[in-house]
Amino acid sequence: QVQLVESGGGSVQAGGSLRLSCVVSGDPASSYHLGWFRQASGKEREGVAAIGRIGTTSYADSVKERFTISKDNGKNTLYLQMNRLKPEDSAMYYCAARFAGWGYLNSPLARNEYGYWGQGTQVTVSS
């Protein structure tokens, strides 16, 4: 069974940058569609960015042009480069995976499409 471990969160001032990493173990990352989600205090978990098994990317409107999702299949690692951070980006960020063999991925940013989750890494952006 695949396991996901996030890192790279922290505290940063508005306008700063962070890069999150998610190490995939137990199964090759290349066998999965991968995504980043976030959950702010008192809010629902929302999709931020996703990358399909063959590299197709999707982004939430709120992070387009600021965040970049990428992966290194050789290192079994998923990344999220976050630039020009805003206070409203503050949240717990989660890595998620969906086995590609489960069928077509209809909504890459939908939480219920993914079956595996990491424990999260906290991002705090101060104004």
Side-chain angles (χ1 to χ4, degrees), residues 64-82:
K64 281 181 180 176
E65 309 301 327
R66 298 190 300 123
F67 290 11
T68 303
I69 189 170
S70 63
K71 63 177 179 173
D72 185 332
N73 285 333
K75 294 182 178 179
N76 267 2
T77 302
L78 174 72
Y79 302 100
L80 184 68
Q81 178 65 45
M82 305 186 294

Side-chain angles (χ1 to χ4, degrees), residues 35-50:
W36 286 101
F37 289 72
R38 66 186 181 188
Q39 187 167 16
S41 180
K43 294 189 176 181
E44 294 288 318
R45 191 171 299 189
E46 63 175 358
V48 174

Side-chain angles (χ1 to χ4, degrees), residues 44-126:
E44 294 288 318
R45 191 171 299 189
E46 63 175 358
V48 174
I51 185 165
R53 190 176 66 84
I54 61 172
T56 305
T57 57
S58 304
Y59 294 93
D61 288 342
S62 60
V63 306
K64 281 181 180 176
E65 309 301 327
R66 298 190 300 123
F67 290 11
T68 303
I69 189 170
S70 63
K71 63 177 179 173
D72 185 332
N73 285 333
K75 294 182 178 179
N76 267 2
T77 302
L78 174 72
Y79 302 100
L80 184 68
Q81 178 65 45
M82 305 186 294
N83 298 328
R84 291 184 282 130
L85 283 160
K86 304 176 181 179
E88 51 263 44
D89 294 320
S90 296
M92 185 71 80
Y93 281 71
Y94 297 91
C95 174
R98 172 192 169 97
F99 182 57
W102 287 348
Y104 183 73
L105 179 58
N106 290 305
S107 303
L109 298 180
R111 177 180 178 179
N112 61 5
E113 293 276 19
Y114 295 83
Y116 302 100
W117 295 86
Q119 293 301 305
T121 185
Q122 179 68 40
V123 172
T124 303
V125 184
S126 57

